[in-house]
């Protein structure tokens, strides 16, 4: 967290805790005073003023890489098929790897092919367009490049043993998707979501590794195979002219820095970029996308940046590459539900985190463009199997009964969001809508754009654009805010409810960090994107700076008056 933001939030929280001393959580919450209202109005006004957003994206997760919490019925069916095959064996299907391994090739193929065929169709792309999105992020696993399942033979004749079903199946569906995207004038960002051996151990990488070492860059051939796949992606999708919908290639999703040495990840990023530049001709505008690897905001500023060659020389010498740091886009993912501290946050702290997060990213933009490429409406981790098949939620403590992880923190509450929307309380709905509005507003104004996770799910409502929109919890169109006017001021008719939600008079206000959450789920482009269009750097306007100052002064006055 940058110092300014840190002091700013610390200051605010101090102020608030001063407000809130001695007031119990059950006490009736009061509305905001005019002074407090003014604070929020000042704060949000700056976010609505100049919406020059480029990316308004949606991910179609859980399609070509399956995820148990997105389509639980697929995994339940797999388990019952496995029981039919061998009722006496212990069945534990927790990810696509164990699904394929347990069922064997033919049964997995039938099940998965049916899923690919039915879960996403042309109609989804048409709806994505009419809903106002301009970009689709499509996750795909490395195993899409498997060429002979019997021999575990991959592209470039590399052998890598795994049980995955492929033989070109996923690439066939990807091609359909690209045709639909072209038809509906949607831009596409391809995302290598699972790397050989798993780059993060999350089930959404294909292979869940809760406790052990990760295989990526450690097991034989994982590096060679990754490079071969990158080369094929670049040769296939670059230089396709302005008819091709592919505007960005994300080389690998969420490599888990910490479990994998960050210097190894960095070196791979350079090798990928070298390959990319060697395959890209000078008139091609496809953007090279890197995930932040769970490093703090600003970590990648000097990397892949020709102004700081001494930094890149440490890892790799880009031979003769002619590029601008603006050609490399940094993808940040942000959720507020994967630590006990985040889950215990007040609604105010949650929104304040988003504000600080957007401000931090804004400071990166002169180095690299940056999007919040994953975020959701979730304020708890209660969606069934969100943390994995058989794993509970931190929110109600069941996580710690179903894993080897432990905590001293008390459970936050009782899970309700895994239930159907009809069972949600109005209070919970309000919080989800406010959280979504705050993220839309701030990411639209302070970053190169945003990509919501996810287009649809079977029953994980907080992660499901279609269900959220249907329940009127996601603004449609995206700037049709309920809690704010177009100029950022608060709608009077909602101000008291927002104040109750955003400034609950509790003593539990928690200051949490703005760094990327440790763990993902389990985590432009109007017209044709050109590199320069993708990366418009918005200058932080004087007006904005002035409003922050005004805000700080107001807060100082507020504190002084207490
Ligand atoms: C928004 O942009 C317009 C035109 O570029 C400018 O006049 C105005 O000051 C900006 N407002 C803010 C709040 O940045
Ligand atoms: C699961 O099995 C049921 C019953 O056979 C079937 O209706 C459904 O389509 C299957 N779902 C998936 C995702 O395979
Ligand atoms: C069924 O599973 C059991 C236990 O894993 C195993 O011993 C047996 O050989 C399996 N039977 C078949 C037909 O695969
Ligand atoms: C099946 O799982 C149970 C409980 O985990 C265990 O006691 C048993 O030995 C396992 N059986 C086989 C054949 O692996
Ligand atoms: C899988 O299907 C193929 C083609 O239909 C068939 O030749 C093969 O014997 C099947 N394998 C098994 C293990 O059933
Ligand atoms: C892969 O192996 C096949 C058969 O041995 C050979 O014809 C082909 O040229 C090889 N491809 C590459 C990229 O080495
Ligand atoms: C990995 O490669 C090394 C060197 O080629 C070899 O000695 C070793 O047996 C390989 N390990 C595995 C698990 O294949
Ligand atoms: C470079 O790519 C463009 C499309 O981006 C294509 O039209 C052109 O033919 C390519 N030129 C070369 C030399 O490959
Ligand atoms: C790439 O961007 C440049 C500058 O905007 C544009 O002239 C060119 O046509 C674009 N290339 C393609 C293939 O769209
Ligand atoms: C890159 O080049 C510099 C200067 O020529 C050299 O000092 C450095 O060791 C090289 N780095 C790598 C990783 O090869
Ligand atoms: C976790 O296990 C403890 C001890 O068995 C039990 O008291 C508690 O209710 C469990 N919590 C949940 C949420 O299942
Ligand atoms: C904005 O959303 C409201 C529901 O919250 C809806 O009634 C209204 O039609 C929407 N406005 C537009 C312009 O679509």
């Amino acid at each position: 967290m940058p110092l300014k933001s840190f002091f700013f939030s610390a200051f605010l929280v101090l102020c608030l805790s001063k407000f809130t001393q001695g007031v119990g959580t059950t006490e009736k919450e009061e509305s905001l005073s005019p002074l407090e209202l003014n604070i929020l109005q000042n704060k949000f006004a700056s976010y609505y003023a100049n919406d020059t957003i480029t990316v308004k994206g949606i991910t179609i997760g859980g399609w070509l890489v399956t995820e148990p919490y997105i389509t639980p019925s697929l995994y339940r069916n797999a388990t019952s098929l496995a029981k039919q095959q061998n009722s006496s064996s212990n069945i534990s299907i927790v990810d696509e790897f164990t699904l394929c391994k347990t069922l064997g090739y033919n049964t997995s193929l039938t099940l998965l092919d049916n899923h690919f065929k039915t879960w996403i169709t042309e109609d989804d792309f048409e709806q994505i367009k009419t809903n106002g999105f301009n970009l689709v992020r499509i996750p795909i696993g490395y195993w899409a490049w498997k060429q002979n399942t019997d021999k575990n033979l991959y592209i470039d004749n590399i052998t890598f043993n795994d049980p995955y079903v492929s033989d070109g199946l996923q690439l066939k569906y990807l091609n359909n998707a690209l045709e639909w995207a072209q038809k509906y004038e949607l831009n596409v960002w391809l995302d290598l979501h699972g790397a050989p051996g798993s780059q993060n151990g999350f089930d959404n990488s294909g292979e869940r590794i809760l406790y052990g070492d990760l295989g990526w860059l450690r097991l034989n051939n994982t590096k060679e195979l990754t490079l071969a796949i990158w080369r094929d992606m670049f040769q296939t999708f670059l230089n396709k002219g302005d008819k091709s919908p592919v505007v960005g290639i994300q080389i690998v999703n969420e490599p888990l820095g910490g479990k994998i040495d960050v210097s190894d990840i960095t070196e791979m990023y350079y090798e990928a970029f070298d390959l990319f530049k060697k395959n890209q001709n000078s008139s091609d505008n496809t953007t090279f996308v890197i995930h932040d690897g769970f490093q703090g905001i600003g970590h990648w500023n000097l990397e892949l940046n020709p102004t700081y060659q001494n930094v890149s020389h440490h890892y790799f010498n880009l031979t003769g590459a002619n590029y601008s740091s603006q050609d490399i886009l940094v993808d940040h993912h942000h959720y507020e539900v994967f630590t006990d501290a985040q889950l215990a946050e007040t609604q105010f702290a949650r929104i304040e985190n988003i504000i600080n997060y957007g401000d931090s990213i804004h400071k990166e933009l002169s180095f690299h463009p940056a999007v919040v490429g994953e975020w959701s409406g979730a304020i708890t981790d209660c969606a069934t199997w969100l943390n994995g098949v058989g794993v509970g939620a931190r929110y109600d403590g069941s996580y710690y009964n179903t894993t080897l992880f432990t905590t001293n923190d008390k459970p936050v509450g009782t899970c309700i969001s895994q239930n159907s929307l009809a069972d949600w309380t109005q209070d919970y709905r309000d919080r989800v809508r406010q959280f979504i509005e705050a993220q839309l507003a701030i990411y639209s104004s302070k970053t190169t754009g945003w990509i919501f996770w996810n287009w649809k799910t079977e029953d994980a409502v907080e992660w499901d654009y279609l269900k959220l929109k249907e329940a009127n919890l996601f603004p449609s169109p995206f700037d049709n805010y309920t809690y704010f006017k177009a100029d950022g001021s608060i709608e009077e008719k909602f101000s008291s409810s927002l104040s109750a939600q955003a400034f609950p008079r509790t003593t539990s206000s928690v200051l949490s960090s703005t760094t990327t959450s440790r763990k993902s789920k389990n985590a432009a482009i109007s017209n044709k994107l050109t590199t320069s269009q993708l990366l418009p750097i918005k200058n932080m306007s004087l007006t904005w700076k002035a409003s922050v100052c005004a805000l700080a002064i107001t807060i100082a006055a507020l504190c002084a008056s207490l």
Side-chain angles (χ1 to χ4, degrees), residues 17 24 41 49 58 135 157 246 298 304 340 348 353 404 417 420 448 458 469 474 522 527 556 560:
S17 58
Q41 286 188 346
I58 188 78
L135 178 141
N157 292 345
V246 177
L304 293 164
D340 291 329
F348 167 75
N353 281 346
L404 300 179
S417 68
S420 81
T448 311
E458 282 175 352
K469 186 198 148 194
F474 202 110
N522 188 182
N527 309 324

Side-chain angles (χ1 to χ4, degrees), residues 435-470:
F435 186 48
I436 288 172
E437 287 196 10
Q439 291 179 93
L440 281 172
I442 291 154
Y443 299 158
S444 294
S445 159
K446 293 289 168 184
T447 75
T448 311
W450 49 262
I451 306 176
F452 187 77
W453 184 282
N454 189 40
W455 171 241
K456 64 177 189 172
T457 69
E458 282 175 352
D459 55 25
V461 180
E462 290 168 292
W463 307 81
D464 181 325
Y465 170 78
L466 284 175
K467 287 194 177 61
L468 287 165
K469 186 198 148 194
E470 196 190 341

Side-chain angles (χ1 to χ4, degrees), residues 140-156:
I140 190 160
Y142 78 91
W143 53 97
W145 279 263
K146 193 189 255 192
Q147 302 193 324
N148 182 330
T149 299
D150 289 338
K151 299 195 166 108
N152 277 309
L153 193 67
Y154 275 89
I155 187 158
D156 277 6

